[in-house]
């Protein structure tokens, strides 16, 4: 939503609603800027929060992308080289340059300068590996060392530094999965009815058609990674160059893809809240209050009224009438390394390892190895004279 354009597909708040309450951080970045980062977001948002506090008002952070919210709540980001202003950088971004390298080469470079961080990151996770390399190149300090410094500050914990605003609270609006899925599908239909296709065509013509023609389209950075735009790529590039029937099929394919990816993203958002906010270890974690929004007919009773009571309690310095949500912290190690020699794969995380050992591909390789072992044992048992044969032919097996 920080980018100008694609107002419908990014679900920006309407001008009418913006007149009811002043909004910030919407539609101020040029859509062709591809290196606007969460650090840029934080560096602009934090002074705005101070400005709102100075006017004796309460800042309400609305999301959205929970990673960006987390960057405002905790000291978790790392500043690299100084920027001359708060504007997004127009020059080539070093992280983007690094991401062009081969995954193995990237991971090899990181292993040389920061073996601890390299051990935590999967070699194929190019974005995180590139970011860690960028941090070292621009600060001269290993990424892992900077993270340790943050975690060791007073109020810090395993997931980062201390809480910036000690009197924060989180209102988590959640719904029954079936109700949420139905609402998200309807939202896509409403977006189409509101002029989504015209918006996509206009944006494609102004910003993307030339990139596609020159084969330099990048759906991994900037506004072009927005959910919805890339799902209509086939429809946009073929419109006018194919039959109306084919165009209609591609359009329907894009609409269905948008519905699916939107529902998947909503699930990831909820998972993030549970894993990063509710299960977050460390001393300084804001209380999270759940508000049930499955039945919109009960908005006043289930959402608005309890939310106002919670916020008023915080303002007045008394205990809210509602109890915050609590979840037991996981004991699993999300950074543990497991090498599956059978499948020739590196698995990071206890849960991922457990899932891998139950997967069809792993069980297939396991069954195959057992057959080879049984066959080898049969070939190398007893010879005519009663001695055990030990020929090299069946004596060693690849893992």
């Amino acid at each position: 939503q920080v980018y100008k354009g694609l107002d419908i597909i990014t679900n920006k708040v309407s001008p009418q609603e913006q007149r009811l309450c002043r909004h910030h951080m919407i539609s101020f970045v040029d859509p062709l800027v591809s290196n606007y980062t969460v650090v840029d977001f934080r560096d602009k948002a934090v002074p705005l929060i101070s400005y709102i506090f100075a006017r004796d008002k309460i800042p309400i952070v609305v999301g959205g992308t929970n990673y960006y919210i987390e960057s405002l709540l905790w000291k978790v980001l790392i500043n690299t080289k100084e920027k001359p202003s708060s504007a997004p950088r127009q020059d080539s971004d070093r992280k983007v340059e690094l991401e062009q390298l081969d995954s193995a080469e990237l991971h090899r470079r990181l292993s040389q300068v920061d073996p601890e961080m390299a051990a935590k990151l999967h070699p194929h996770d190019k974005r995180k590996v590139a970011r860690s390399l960028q941090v070292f190149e621009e600060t001269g300090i290993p990424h892992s060392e900077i993270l340790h410094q943050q975690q060791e500050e007073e109020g810090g914990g395993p997931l980062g530094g201390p809480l910036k605003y000690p009197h924060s609270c989180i209102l988590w609006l959640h719904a029954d999965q079936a109700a949420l899925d139905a609402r998200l599908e309807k939202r896509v239909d409403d977006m189409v009815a509101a002029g989504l296709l015209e918006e996509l065509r206009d944006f494609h013509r102004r910003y993307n058609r030339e990139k596609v023609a020159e084969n330099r389209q990048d759906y991994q950075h900037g506004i072009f990674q927005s959910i919805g735009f890339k799902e209509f790529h086939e429809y946009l590039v073929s419109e006018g160059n194919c039959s109306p029937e084919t165009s209609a099929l591609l359009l329907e394919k894009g609409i269905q893809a948008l519905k699916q990816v939107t529902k998947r993203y909503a699930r990831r958002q909820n998972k993030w809240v549970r894993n990063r906010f509710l299960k977050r270890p460390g001393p300084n974690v804001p209380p999270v209050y759940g508000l049930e929004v499955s039945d919109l007919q009960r908005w006043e009773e289930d959402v608005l009224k309890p939310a106002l009571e919670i916020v008023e309690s915080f303002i007045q310095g008394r205990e809210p009438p509602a109890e915050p949500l609590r979840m037991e912290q996981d004991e699993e190690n999300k950074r543990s390394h497991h090498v599956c020699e059978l499948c020739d794969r590196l698995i990071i995380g206890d849960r991922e390892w457990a899932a891998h050992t139950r997967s069809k591909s792993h069980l297939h390789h396991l069954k195959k190895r057992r057959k080879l072992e049984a066959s080898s044992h049969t070939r190398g048992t007893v010879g005519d004279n009663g001695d055990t044969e030990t020929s090299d032919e069946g004596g060693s097996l690849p893992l």
Side-chain angles (χ1 to χ4, degrees):
Q1 295 194 353
V2 300
Y3 295 96
K4 300 172 185 174
L6 294 182
D7 291 0
I8 296 173
I9 210 161
T10 56
N11 201 36
K12 288 174 182 168
V13 63
S14 69
Q16 294 82 5
E17 288 179 297
Q18 289 196 43
R19 284 194 287 269
L20 298 175
C21 175
R22 185 174 179 184
H23 288 65
H24 304 269
M25 307 290 287
I26 294 179
S27 298
F28 67 96
V29 180
D30 186 288
L32 293 181
V33 171
S34 63
N35 57 1
Y36 187 84
T37 68
V38 65
V39 175
D40 296 311
F41 172 83
R42 181 208 60 188
D43 289 348
K44 186 174 178 64
V46 168
L48 279 169
I49 291 173
S50 299
Y51 168 66
I52 294 170
F53 276 133
R55 293 188 293 118
D56 203 24
K57 303 288 184 181
I58 296 177
I60 303 173
V61 182
V62 184
T65 306
N66 295 314
Y67 178 51
Y68 279 59
I69 295 177
E70 190 168 327
S71 76
L72 301 180
L73 287 173
W74 288 278
K75 184 178 179 181
V76 292
L77 299 181
I78 295 171
N79 294 321
T80 53
K81 58 185 176 184
E82 293 294 323
K83 298 189 292 291
S85 70
S86 60
R89 295 178 297 276
Q90 298 295 329
D91 58 316
S92 178
D93 187 273
R94 180 56 179 156
K95 179 171 173 285
V96 176
E97 292 176 359
L98 288 167
E99 287 177 22
Q100 307 308 310
L101 297 175
D102 175 75
S103 296
E105 172 62 15
L106 261 182
H107 198 262
R108 185 189 67 80
R109 290 190 186 186
L110 183 61
S111 299
Q112 291 177 338
V113 299
D114 191 350
E116 181 181 342
M117 184 57 70
K120 292 179 179 179
L121 298 177
H122 197 287
H124 293 164
D125 195 342
K126 292 182 74 171
R127 299 185 77 166
K128 288 185 179 179
V129 174
R131 172 57 179 162
S132 289
L133 264 177
Q134 180 196 20
V135 169
F136 176 78
E137 288 183 2
E138 297 179 359
T139 67
I141 305 172
H143 192 177
S144 58
E145 184 177 330
I146 297 176
L147 294 179
H148 284 312
Q149 291 171 1
Q150 285 185 350
Q151 294 163 6
E152 290 168 2
E153 290 183 34
E154 184 178 356
L159 296 183
L163 190 66
K164 293 181 187 174
Y165 307 102
H167 301 295
S168 308
C169 75
I170 299 173
L171 304 177
W172 179 29
L173 279 64
H174 59 88
D176 174 78
Q177 194 63 59
L180 179 59
D181 287 346
R183 195 175 301 161
L184 292 174
E185 292 207 5
K186 182 180 182 302
R187 189 175 88 177
V188 172
D189 293 334
D190 291 343
M191 289 160 65
V192 174
L196 173 64
L197 299 184
E198 290 76 10
E199 177 181 89
L200 289 172
R201 289 191 193 102
D202 177 64
F203 195 86
H204 179 68
R205 185 183 69 254
R206 292 165 59 194
Y207 299 108
N208 202 45
R209 181 182 289 167
E210 185 179 339
K211 287 174 173 282
V212 172
E214 296 176 359
N215 197 30
R216 55 186 180 91
Q217 173 57 65
D218 178 12
Y219 286 121
Q220 302 300 317
H221 299 92
I223 196 171
F224 298 100
Q225 66 181 319
S226 300
I227 287 179
F229 188 69
K230 53 186 174 291
E231 280 69 31
F232 288 91
H233 173 84
E234 287 186 86
Y235 171 74
L236 293 170
V237 299
S238 64
E239 192 176 26
N241 300 316
C242 61
S243 66
E245 293 79 12
T246 301
S247 186
L249 287 173
L250 292 175
L251 172 59
E252 182 60 26
K253 179 183 176 182
I255 292 173
Q256 293 305 317
L258 177 55
K259 289 181 178 180
Q260 286 299 113
V261 74
T262 301
K263 289 186 286 188
R264 283 200 299 269
Y265 184 64
R267 284 170 168 78
R268 289 203 304 271
Q269 286 179 311
N270 286 332
K271 184 178 179 181
W272 184 285
V273 172
R274 294 188 183 96
N275 290 339
R276 301 288 293 190
F277 293 162
L278 293 178
K279 297 180 182 179
R280 190 182 188 95
N284 289 335
V285 183
V288 180
Y289 297 93
L291 299 170
E292 174 65 50
V293 295
S294 297
D295 185 358
L296 293 182
Q297 302 298 319
R298 292 184 52 82
W299 177 265
E300 296 279 339
E301 304 97 311
D302 294 346
V303 184
L304 182 58
K305 184 179 177 182
L308 288 174
E309 289 176 346
I310 292 167
V311 173
E312 286 174 357
S313 298
F314 268 80
I315 294 172
Q316 296 168 7
R318 55 183 174 83
E319 284 293 317
E323 282 291 321
L325 298 173
R326 301 187 188 280
M327 293 183 71
E328 292 185 7
Q329 295 179 12
D330 280 343
E331 296 300 324
E332 66 166 316
N333 185 349
K334 293 183 173 63
R335 293 296 187 183
S336 61
H337 276 224
H338 306 270
V339 177
C340 181
E341 296 179 341
L342 271 177
C343 306
D344 191 24
R345 286 187 60 189
L346 168 65
I347 311 295
I348 296 180
D350 291 347
R351 183 177 299 179
E352 288 74 11
W353 174 247
H356 173 74
T357 57
R358 296 191 298 267
S359 68
K360 288 183 179 179
S361 62
H362 177 79
L363 294 175
H364 169 75
H365 283 102
L366 186 61
K367 184 178 180 181
K368 189 175 178 180
R369 186 179 74 171
R370 286 171 177 167
K371 282 185 177 180
L372 284 171
E373 288 174 342
S375 174
S376 173
H377 180 70
T378 302
R379 290 199 308 270
T381 53
V382 180
D384 289 345
N385 61 356
D387 294 331
T388 301
E389 295 183 5
T390 57
S391 66
D392 288 342
E393 184 178 354
S396 63
L397 289 173
L399 288 180

